Structures are given as structure tokens and as C-alpha cells.
Amino acid sequence: MSEANWLKEHPHAQELVWQLGGTSVTRTKIGRRKLRLFACGCCRLIWPQLDDSRLRDTVEVAERFADGQATATELSAAGSVAQATIPRNAHDFSDDDPNAQIHAAVAMVVSTTLVKPYSAAFGVTAYPMAFAGHRGGQKEADTLICALLRDIFGNPFRPVKVNKRWHTGTAVSLARGMYESRDFSAMPILADALQDAGCDNDDILTHCRDPKQVHVRGCWAVDLVLDKK
């Protein structure tokens, strides 16, 4: 994958996930964590539609597993619980199936629990109804998935090096609060705190201040401030 391919608009978001799988990024500990958080992030973007608490609980277990706070046994069990929320062998995603949306949503949630992080990331984009049809048409959904990938992985071709001076109490507190609450509305304030600490990197400041950018757990800018490994 080239930098141009990473940054361009893709008609099919799964192509970008596939290209990312061919890079060394996905074979690192940090990359594996981010792949699973991407899968969870996709589910977070349809959170209101996951009205069965078992589905939400499964995503939360997958998030904890990504951060080393849940075991593989817990992850597998959570996947089985999520799968059991739909009738056995009911996996039809056809347009004329009245249950297609819920089947796709459950399949996304189950994907977050797959053993291999890349399979989890690829899996959430593998269904005919992107975001289970809850985030607009295919084009809009693909654009959103690509934005989510870039929020988590940044630009792999231009990694940002953090100056330890940027890790002020204010910046770290803001980043930690957003990470734990999953409310990223304070991103522009984080940019101000980083700039006050001497940060002059356009990539990180622009990312934090972009009003159109979606943010989820695993956001590369927040991870840098929190020194996530």
C-alpha cells in the first residue's frame, strides 16, 4: 500500500482494510490492539441500534480485551452470547429479509470477538449492509469507515513523534477523560493544551480540531498523549 492509496477516497472501504493488512503495522502489538478497537469503533457508531444489552456487553468485553483487561476465554464467551441473540442459522442479509439489519448488526458485534485482530477488523466491513444500514447508504458508510480507520491508524507513512514536554497534566487528563468516557467532544481543547505545551505539529493539531473527524477509542492522537502501547 502507498501513502496515496491510504489517503484517497475508496469506493469500497474493505479495500482499505485489506491494504492495511499487507503492512507491518498490523503485525505489531500496537497494531493488533488498534485493529480490534477499529472493529469495536464500528459497533460504537451504531450503539443506539444495539438495544440488546448482551450486544453492548460483548463490544465492551472486546474493548477490554484489546487493552489487556479481559481474557481470551471471556472474549470467546462474549462472542457466543452475542451470536445467541438471533435464531440459530438465521444469517440472511438479503434486502428482502426483514431481519437483515439485526443480523448484520449481530454479525458485526460477533466479529469484534474473533481470535485474530485483523479478522475482527476485516469482519465488521464484510457484510452487504455496511454499519447494518444504520449510517446512510453504501457510499456514506464507506466514507465513514475510512475516516474511522484514519482516526485510529493516522497516516502510517508519516508517524508523529511525541515530545515528552507535550505530556502536561492538562493534556493527559483531557485525553484520559475522553478515552474512558468515549466522549471525544473535548478534542479541540486537547489541541489547545498541546499547543500550549509547545506542540507545533500540524497533523496532530488538525486532527484534533477537525469538526468533521470521527473519534473512537484507539484514536491515534489520544493514544500518543496517553502513551498507549
Side-chain angles (χ1 to χ4, degrees):
M1 178 176 63
S2 67
E3 182 178 12
N5 277 339
W6 176 253
L7 295 176
K8 78 175 184 180
E9 292 300 320
H10 288 268
H12 302 290
Q14 196 173 56
E15 178 186 347
L16 193 59
V17 181
W18 180 79
Q19 290 187 33
L20 184 65
T23 69
S24 61
V25 172
T26 60
R27 294 188 288 275
T28 65
K29 180 181 178 180
I30 295 174
R32 291 193 295 271
R33 169 181 166 272
K34 285 181 173 289
L35 284 167
R36 194 172 301 279
L37 288 178
F38 162 74
C40 294
C42 285
C43 292
R44 285 282 176 183
L45 291 184
I46 60 167
W47 203 246
Q49 286 74 39
L50 301 181
D51 51 6
D52 188 317
S53 62
R54 292 172 293 178
L55 298 179
R56 294 186 175 192
D57 289 347
T58 295
V59 176
E60 290 173 351
V61 170
E63 288 175 333
R64 292 199 301 273
F65 181 80
D67 281 332
Q69 298 170 356
T71 66
T73 299
E74 290 173 317
L75 184 70
S76 176
S80 296
V81 169
Q83 186 66 66
T85 62
I86 58 175
R88 188 174 181 81
N89 299 323
H91 302 293
D92 192 0
F93 304 112
S94 62
D95 292 339
D96 59 352
D97 178 3
N99 296 311
Q101 277 192 303
I102 186 58
H103 292 171
V106 171
M108 286 176 61
V109 170
V110 172
S111 289
T112 70
T113 69
L114 296 178
V115 174
K116 295 182 178 180
Y118 179 73
S119 297
F122 196 77
V124 293
T125 68
Y127 307 104
M129 301 174 68
F131 289 119
H134 293 299
R135 295 305 298 252
Q138 188 66 47
K139 183 177 180 180
E140 182 181 353
D142 280 331
T143 298
L144 186 54
I145 291 171
C146 289
L148 189 63
L149 278 170
R150 295 179 185 121
D151 176 63
I152 291 178
F153 289 95
N155 183 344
F157 298 91
R158 297 177 186 269
V160 175
K161 294 183 179 180
V162 177
N163 189 313
K164 292 297 183 182
R165 292 189 295 107
W166 303 351
H167 289 189
T168 63
T170 300
V172 172
S173 178
L174 283 166
R176 183 179 295 117
M178 289 187 287
Y179 192 86
E180 292 177 354
S181 69
R182 301 177 184 83
D183 178 357
F184 292 86
S185 59
M187 289 296 286
I189 303 175
L190 176 61
D192 292 342
L194 290 171
Q195 198 164 34
D196 289 344
C199 174
D200 59 357
N201 183 282
D202 287 339
D203 290 337
I204 192 169
L205 295 177
T206 298
H207 184 73
C208 290
R209 288 172 172 153
D210 185 351
K212 296 181 180 180
Q213 177 63 55
V214 62
H215 300 284
V216 294
R217 271 196 176 186
C219 166
W220 69 268
V222 172
D223 274 4
L224 283 177
V225 175
L226 295 178
D227 199 22
K228 289 285 186 180
K229 303 294 186 183

